[in-house]
Amino acid sequence: MRRATLRSGLREFFRLPRFSRKQLPRLALGALGLFGIGVGIFGLPTQLEVSQLIGLAGWLAASLVLHDGILVPLSHLFGFGLRRLSYGLQPESAAVVRTALLIGAVLTLVGLPLLKAQQVAKNVSVLQDDYLLSLVLFWAGLVLAAAVTVLLLERRSRRARRDRAIQSEMGQSATDSGNP
């Protein structure tokens, strides 16, 4: 009782808002994220030269333009087209297909500079991995995972529809025979 009174008195003195138990972990994670961003921002000038900082700012601006100017409109356009192509699928399965394609497209977009750099690189020891093979293997794994997920979702949906139909028939026959 006395502890609660002290806590509420401190809260009123500092005019702190009251948070629920669900909000506190979110606030703690948000504060931790802000701390990490602050360490990153204030640590950059000590670790990078001015030309690197300018390059980093240009890269961040280009990524913003790439995301908002190209990726988001294209994903909406492809999502609309995929919605028409995945007409027979359940909404969950169509979402899996759209998500897999979006993940694959983003990773391919990120990996394209590596593929291009590997083709023109004069020093092969810098880019040692076979990025094309890695990209092909990634797409194969992504397609396999999406196909298995869609098959499982469609099977579960079909089974649920069948069970509902059986229960409906059983309820219909019970009412036809006079049993409730």
Side-chain angles (χ1 to χ4, degrees):
M1 180 78 173
R2 190 171 181 201
R3 190 174 181 189
T5 306
L6 178 64
R7 187 182 310 160
S8 65
L10 286 173
R11 186 175 301 126
E12 287 180 20
F13 179 76
F14 290 110
R15 297 179 183 237
L16 296 174
R18 180 175 284 238
F19 297 109
S20 69
R21 290 183 185 257
K22 290 182 179 179
Q23 290 173 328
L24 284 177
R26 291 180 182 170
L27 288 171
L29 286 174
L32 186 64
L34 287 175
F35 176 74
I37 289 171
V39 168
I41 287 175
F42 292 117
L44 282 177
T46 61
Q47 297 175 359
L48 298 178
E49 296 175 10
V50 175
S51 63
Q52 291 174 323
L53 285 173
I54 292 171
L56 179 64
W59 183 82
L60 288 174
S63 67
L64 188 65
V65 169
L66 180 69
H67 180 266
D68 290 346
I70 297 172
L71 189 60
V72 170
L74 282 179
S75 68
H76 280 286
L77 190 66
F78 284 122
F80 184 70
L82 286 173
R83 190 174 302 150
R84 289 184 176 268
L85 288 176
S86 60
Y87 177 69
L89 295 177
Q90 296 296 314
E92 297 88 9
S93 300
V96 167
V97 170
R98 286 194 308 267
T99 303
L101 285 174
L102 184 63
I103 289 171
V106 168
L107 195 90
T108 302
L109 192 64
V110 169
L112 282 178
L114 290 173
L115 291 172
K116 179 68 177 167
Q118 198 169 35
Q119 288 179 350
V120 297
K122 298 197 175 20
N123 185 0
V124 292
S125 65
V126 175
L127 301 170
Q128 296 178 353
D129 292 335
D130 188 1
Y131 297 113
L132 183 61
L133 179 65
S134 298
L135 188 63
V136 168
L137 290 176
F138 168 76
W139 269 101
L142 185 67
V143 167
L144 181 67
V148 167
T149 305
V150 166
L151 285 175
L152 291 175
L153 287 173
E154 290 296 316
R155 181 183 293 171
R156 187 178 75 178
S157 174
R158 199 173 328 130
R159 188 177 305 147
R161 278 185 295 196
R162 188 180 59 215
D163 290 346
R164 280 193 303 261
I166 290 173
Q167 287 178 353
S168 175
E169 286 180 16
M170 290 175 63
Q172 185 75 20
S173 65
T175 56
D176 289 345
S177 65
N179 295 334

